[in-house]
Amino acid sequence: MKSIAVFCGSSSGNDPYIVKESYELGLTMAKKNITLVYGAAKIGIMGRVAEAVLENNGKAIGVIPKFLQTKEIVHDGLTDLIVTENMHDRKVIMYEKSDGFIIIPGGFGTMDEFFEITTWGQLGLHTKPIGILNINGYYDALISQCKTMVERGFLKQENFDAVVMDDTIEGILEKMNNYVPLPAPKWLNKEGL
């Protein structure tokens, strides 16, 4: 993978370990020459990931909708900044610029990005790896809910298994590099996004 979109919070939350690991993810990406694609913010853990990438001579592409573009939010030292018309266009550009996706702690926006990109994968619109980096158990409840969806017949086990998960940076990157995509659904005849 030459580029990874990281979906995460524009807040720092209240767990210092999450903040630390967010920086470590950016540092690792820079060391492995993996371009960061993310929401362009200089605040929250979004900002920490980008800061680590840029401080260590990595590349960071920020993608932000026009209505969020303010000096207080946008990181001014990015390798590239792409401004979109709306949130949906932002997600499409992030998809196009990325070879895979990592979800780290965040709120509703992060969940929106995770579920949309995962749904696109389930529908066969892409075959890129999606990884949950479960820092300090942050996504334990989400993982548990997904298991409930499988148990109750609303989510196929193979679609749940298509999302790789780990609680370490090296572990998630290894699983994503070894990812084997599901075959495209036979009932779907739509070509790409």
Side-chain angles (χ1 to χ4, degrees):
M1 289 179 296
K2 294 181 180 175
S3 61
I4 295 176
V6 176
F7 297 139
C8 58
S10 59
S11 169
S12 294
N14 58 15
D15 183 341
Y17 186 74
I18 289 173
V19 175
K20 176 187 158 303
E21 284 298 289
S22 299
Y23 187 90
E24 288 298 317
L25 174 61
L27 174 63
T28 302
M29 289 175 69
K31 285 182 177 177
K32 292 181 179 288
N33 203 27
I34 299 170
T35 298
L36 167 67
V37 180
Y38 84 117
K42 65 181 177 185
I43 58 175
I45 61 172
M46 258 196 223
R48 289 296 286 161
V49 177
E51 181 183 321
V53 167
L54 295 168
E55 285 177 356
N56 292 281
N57 301 313
K59 293 180 183 172
I61 299 171
V63 187
I64 193 163
K66 195 183 305 180
F67 74 93
L68 285 178
Q69 187 186 11
T70 67
K71 286 192 298 187
E72 293 77 29
I73 294 175
V74 174
H75 198 298
D76 58 3
L78 298 173
T79 310
D80 193 13
L81 176 66
I82 300 167
V83 180
T84 64
E85 287 299 313
N86 55 52
M87 293 292 280
H88 180 73
D89 289 348
R90 176 196 216 182
K91 286 183 276 191
V92 170
I93 299 254
M94 291 176 80
Y95 158 79
E96 290 171 347
K97 297 279 184 191
S98 304
D99 298 325
F101 311 90
I102 293 179
I103 291 79
I104 63 175
F108 283 155
T110 304
M111 292 295 90
D112 171 62
E113 292 163 332
F114 167 68
F115 283 116
E116 184 154 5
I117 206 66
T118 303
T119 301
W120 291 358
Q122 179 179 313
L123 294 174
L125 300 176
H126 76 82
T127 57
K128 300 175 183 183
I130 302 165
I132 295 176
L133 179 54
N134 191 18
I135 302 171
N136 217 12
Y138 185 81
Y139 284 119
D140 288 352
L142 175 64
I143 294 165
S144 178
Q145 178 59 43
C146 290
K147 289 177 181 176
T148 297
M149 292 189 294
V150 170
E151 290 166 7
R152 302 279 179 98
F154 287 97
L155 175 64
K156 289 184 179 177
Q157 184 69 50
E158 64 187 16
N159 291 320
F160 175 57
D161 292 342
V163 178
V164 298
M165 299 168 215
D166 206 287
D167 58 0
T168 68
I169 294 165
E170 289 296 335
I172 200 69
L173 291 174
E174 181 179 341
K175 287 178 179 179
M176 290 175 72
N177 277 320
N178 294 324
Y179 175 73
V180 177
L182 294 172
K186 291 183 172 97
W187 54 268
L188 191 69
N189 61 14
K190 180 169 171 69
E191 303 257 344
L193 285 174

